[in-house]
Amino acid sequence: MLSIQLVWRLALAVVTLVILYLALIPAPPSEGLGWDKLNHAIAMAVVTVIAFRTLRPVSLRAVLLAGLYALLLGALIELLQGTLTTARSAEWGDLLADAVGVALAMPGLYLWKRKTITREC
């Protein structure tokens, strides 16, 4: 039987690979949510939440590491788009949108962390 933490780690791997694939193909299959920057923000918020769920113990450090993972993924995508593709380009605005998504996810994770720690005490 799979542990819940392993399931979250598998989910993070799958989401990371899907986002990388969509970011590097010449043309995405759809417009997603209709605005590129919103797509970036939502994707990195989701990555932040899933990355947080893979980490133990639940702590402020886990919140920060999850955010860092999502930001580094966003930076990697922009780097790869700027160097490996001809149909896509690196944009500072995309990285900023990624950071906004991370920033939106982190307060909720911090509050969830506080609730979980309080419950354990």
Side-chain angles (χ1 to χ4, degrees):
M1 188 160 126
L2 293 175
S3 74
I4 190 67
Q5 198 160 6
L6 180 59
V7 170
W8 282 110
R9 287 179 180 160
L10 290 171
L12 181 60
V14 168
V15 167
T16 297
L17 291 173
V18 167
I19 289 171
L20 280 168
Y21 171 76
L22 291 172
L24 297 176
I25 60 174
S30 75
E31 289 296 315
L33 299 171
W35 183 40
D36 178 55
K37 303 311 181 239
L38 183 59
N39 292 337
H40 279 265
I42 298 297
M44 290 308 145
V46 169
V47 168
T48 302
V49 170
I50 295 172
F52 173 76
R53 295 299 308 228
T54 69
L55 299 168
R56 291 288 176 262
V58 173
S59 64
L60 178 58
R61 181 175 182 258
V63 173
L64 295 174
L65 286 174
L68 180 62
Y69 178 86
L71 286 175
L72 289 174
L73 176 60
L76 175 65
I77 287 168
E78 295 309 312
L79 178 70
L80 294 175
Q81 283 182 337
T83 59
L84 294 182
T85 68
T86 55
R88 308 293 283 271
S89 62
E91 295 181 28
W92 285 107
D94 288 349
L95 194 55
L96 178 61
D98 295 340
V100 167
V102 170
L104 290 173
M106 290 181 79
L109 293 176
Y110 179 75
L111 292 173
W112 186 83
K113 173 212 70 90
R114 286 188 58 199
K115 182 180 177 184
T116 302
I117 289 175
T118 304
R119 204 173 349 145
E120 290 175 357
C121 294

